[in-house]
Amino acid sequence: MTNRLADTLSPYLRAHADNPVDWYPWGPEAFAEAQRRDVPLMISIGYSTCHWCHVMARESFADPETAALIDRDFVAVKVDREEHPDVDGAYMAAASAFTQNLGWPLTVFTTPRGRAFYAGTYWPPEARQPMPAFRDVLAAVHEAWTVRRGQAEESADAVTDALARAATSTPSDLPDAAAIAAAAGAIAAREDPQFAGFGGAPKFPVATTLGLLQTPLVRREAADAAAAAERALAAMAASDLRDADGGFFRYATQRDWTVPHYERMLTDNAQLLLVALAADDEPTVRGIAGFLLDTLRLDGGGFGAAQDSESWIDGARSEGGYYLRAVSERAGLEPPSVDGKVITGWNGLAIAALATAGATRAESSWVRAAQEAAEYVLRVNTDPAGRLVRASLDGVASDAVATTADVALLADGLFALAVATGEAAWAVSARDLLDTAIEGLDGDPLLAAHGIAVAPDQSDGDLPSGTAAVVAASLTAWRLGAGERYRAAAAERVREHAASALAQPFAHGSLLRASAGLVDAPRQIVVVTVSPSGALAAAARRSDADLISIVTPAQAEAFADAGFALFEGKGASVEGDGVERAFDCRAFVCRLPVSDPGEISRSR
């Protein structure tokens, strides 16, 4: 049979289009059908490069007898977690009430109103201790709904109410330097003394945590913790977690960074590019940049979401087989496919990383790639009203709404692009997007319509939380001179979540990293010159500063005219006598400008 997934904009959903299961995509039609039939929804959540999602699809969803049970007793809904992160977050939070083994594929059984009363992850086709067979799970859930429906509905309502209450938080004071250093020390205490990184198996790159440990505040106040970040990066870069072409895999299944889970995510690699840049690890920087440009970059300039772990080798599906071959042996093989979804926020991460690294390393092709990605996202990932959407595929925008993280991460990427290119127009677009994120977004309309609380996006997953993304972009806007209201917006959000972040620093690395920017006065360097590749600009790029902008006199005036006060008067001062100048500013108070590269201090 052909179900409703063939014409969707998700490669993950399209891969299930020929299943015998009568799938619905996420939308009101599935809810209406469940209410009409008075049966539960079976909501199956995954993504296209998820290995165990592929396995469960082959074992169960492709099986006609299993599909018949699903179609008889449930309305089946297939969700791409990368297209609908709010849906994934809401049901992942609900699933935590039923199982500690969270992950994907995630299968959630809900009332016709969408309220979860049972959930789990992968189930095999036959019982395999401690896991029951998937068909037995289906039978048990059906029995619970038909025989003990009252209990099921009561459980679903209790979970929904508990999640709604959990979304509240208690504001506290802004963390000071000592508190942030202590949080960094608590993270470093979890360092693996033998293999570096944090924790045991499975072991993840945790780029958000590494970014916190690399902040100037942590380097100054907790040097031992900062050193743990350098050791982690060095260990990962020398391990099987890094492919021969420079890209990093999702995680290692073993404590010593061996036996990777072979999917390669845009999120991980974009963030690790900035981690490697901060560590001055040139081979790793260039390897990741090459992977982004050569493998994940799509026609038109956007970046795909991930590269699959599986590929076809000798007529059979192989997990990791392609990557286990030497690079010279891969030429004759079909590479693992790239998920072509262009996700707004994830592309924001890539834009920021490539623009920043390209400007720092004077690699114009990296900056140009960042600019082309920005142009693509702003042109394609919009609805008819001009609002950002979550993603697009093959140049067609999804109807999935953008999240707060999407908008804020793209804004920060555009700010980075403005700094890298000297073009104020990118900063203006970024500021407009940031204002939207600060005002707040509505979230998934179907969840809201059914009273299902969206899990608060305040802790890091594989990318910064929505809260942290807004704080980081607000700090960038403030450092560019957009106004004190942006620092106030950042501080308000940090106060709201500071207590949770300090209590659980490993889950809040990106928020604590941004918090450090509220403690330390920023250092901003603006070089006004007609020679962006000259010695004065090069000296500025080697400096330790929160913001380094190389602009022409006209570009400086354009920034100032657009309301970025950091640039006020600087373009005119150079235009007057034609002498290039570097302005070294601390907390917006600029020292006397210099024209000698040797007078720009490398240190803070």
Side-chain angles (χ1 to χ4, degrees), residues 524-537:
Q524 306 124 302
I525 298 177
V526 177
V527 177
V528 184
T529 178
V530 294
S531 302
S533 59
L536 190 65

Side-chain angles (χ1 to χ4, degrees), residues 208-543:
T208 54
T209 298
L210 299 182
L212 164 64
L213 299 182
Q214 290 180 314
T215 59
L217 186 153
V218 174
R219 292 202 308 264
R220 183 183 71 244
E221 303 288 341
D224 289 344
E230 309 302 313
R231 289 190 289 269
L233 179 65
M236 289 188 292
S239 76
D240 294 345
L241 192 71
R242 183 186 182 208
D243 189 40
D245 68 0
F248 281 82
F249 297 112
R250 183 70 189 93
Y251 62 87
T253 63
Q254 303 301 309
R255 177 186 160 202
D256 62 356
W257 299 108
T258 59
V259 194
H261 188 61
Y262 286 102
E263 60 182 320
R264 301 200 285 181
M265 311 297 293
L266 176 61
T267 48
D268 295 325
N269 283 278
Q271 293 175 94
L272 286 172
L273 175 54
L274 290 179
V275 170
L277 186 68
D280 201 24
D281 183 343
E282 192 72 8
T284 302
V285 167
R286 295 193 173 276
I288 297 174
F291 166 68
L292 294 176
L293 297 181
D294 297 340
T295 301
L296 293 188
R297 194 178 188 215
L298 306 170
D299 291 343
F303 289 91
Q307 187 175 30
D308 207 335
S309 61
E310 296 186 3
S311 63
W312 290 99
I313 297 181
D314 298 329
R317 293 292 285 176
S318 170
E319 185 195 11
Y322 177 87
Y323 303 109
L324 291 170
R325 303 288 183 96
V327 172
S328 60
E329 297 175 339
R330 295 180 186 178
L333 298 175
E334 179 183 347
S337 62
V338 170
D339 183 333
K341 288 197 311 298
V342 177
I343 299 175
T344 296
W346 298 15
N347 272 255
L349 286 170
I351 292 164
L354 286 168
T356 303
T360 303
R361 293 294 189 263
E363 287 287 351
S364 60
S365 63
W366 300 357
V367 177
R368 186 165 57 252
Q371 179 169 323
E372 290 174 359
E375 292 168 346
Y376 185 93
V377 171
L378 292 175
R379 182 178 70 253
V380 176
N381 287 26
T382 56
D383 66 13
R387 295 180 296 252
L388 282 175
V389 299
R390 169 67 175 173
S392 64
L393 181 71
D394 298 332
V396 180
S398 167
D399 59 2
V401 297
T403 65
T404 297
D406 284 323
V407 177
L409 289 172
L410 181 59
D412 215 24
L414 297 185
F415 278 134
L417 187 58
V419 172
T421 62
E423 296 297 330
W426 292 116
V428 172
S429 296
R431 185 177 57 196
D432 291 343
L433 290 176
L434 177 57
D435 288 343
T436 300
I438 290 173
E439 290 170 5
L441 302 172
D442 293 333
D444 185 88
L446 196 55
L447 292 176
H450 289 83
I452 303 169
V454 175
D457 187 12
Q458 62 191 46
S459 61
D460 297 333
D462 49 4
L463 73 167
S465 68
T467 299
V470 172
V471 173
S474 297
L475 283 176
T476 306
W478 171 60
R479 289 167 178 161
L480 283 166
E484 283 297 314
R485 72 183 183 94
Y486 290 100
R487 187 186 189 283
E492 177 186 357
R493 284 159 177 78
V494 170
R495 287 191 187 95
E496 188 175 352
H497 302 292
S500 297
L502 293 173
Q504 298 178 306
F506 207 86
H508 295 82
S510 55
L511 184 70
L512 290 171
R513 179 174 187 246
S515 300
L518 293 168
V519 175
D520 282 351
R523 183 188 185 192
Q524 306 124 302
I525 298 177
V526 177
V527 177
V528 184
T529 178
V530 294
S531 302
S533 59
L536 190 65
R541 291 190 182 101
R542 291 192 295 269
S543 299

